[in-house]
Amino acid sequence: FDQKIPLSTHRVTSSIPRADELRPEPDAPQPSPQSTTTAKHAPHQPASASNWVYPSEQQFYNAMRRKGWEAHEETIPSVVRIHNAVNERGWSEIRRW
């Protein structure tokens, strides 16, 4: 890519548990193994993490470019902060419900 400025490779751990860490209620119906996708299959996630780990600025930028989106690297730090905040707020609302 034609990236002009360096971006952080630091990743932040979210408060959102990975699907393989969630424990369903004892009476809840269990999904069939064929319909269940867990974080165990997410290669971009550290195997030892019990919560999702957000992408670094550099990972986010690379993903946008790979998917054909125009990405201005000077805006990526703000985009990543907004992305993470929206996810955290969404999780907070789910937990309140």
Side-chain angles (χ1 to χ4, degrees), residues 18-41:
R18 290 172 36 160
D20 54 327
E21 297 295 323
L22 294 175
R23 304 290 181 246
E25 305 254 341
D27 297 338
Q30 300 299 308
S32 70
Q34 294 83 13
S35 68
T36 305
T37 354
T38 67
K40 293 176 187 173
H41 298 105

Side-chain angles (χ1 to χ4, degrees), residues 12-63:
V12 175
T13 301
S14 79
S15 68
I16 305 168
R18 290 172 36 160
D20 54 327
E21 297 295 323
L22 294 175
R23 304 290 181 246
E25 305 254 341
D27 297 338
Q30 300 299 308
S32 70
Q34 294 83 13
S35 68
T36 305
T37 354
T38 67
K40 293 176 187 173
H41 298 105
H44 60 282
Q45 293 293 312
S48 63
S50 60
N51 287 13
W52 286 101
V53 179
Y54 289 123
S56 68
E57 294 170 4
Q58 187 65 60
Q59 288 174 311
F60 204 100
Y61 174 82
N62 293 347

Side-chain angles (χ1 to χ4, degrees), residues 30-95:
Q30 300 299 308
S32 70
Q34 294 83 13
S35 68
T36 305
T37 354
T38 67
K40 293 176 187 173
H41 298 105
H44 60 282
Q45 293 293 312
S48 63
S50 60
N51 287 13
W52 286 101
V53 179
Y54 289 123
S56 68
E57 294 170 4
Q58 187 65 60
Q59 288 174 311
F60 204 100
Y61 174 82
N62 293 347
M64 286 184 68
R65 294 301 306 262
R66 188 172 54 250
K67 294 173 183 180
W69 290 93
E70 185 177 336
H72 301 284
E73 58 264 28
E74 64 275 1
T75 66
I76 294 297
S78 296
V79 170
V80 169
R81 281 193 300 277
I82 292 167
H83 167 272
N84 297 356
V86 167
N87 282 317
E88 291 298 319
R89 178 63 187 261
W91 180 243
S92 172
E93 293 297 317
I94 289 168
R95 293 185 69 208

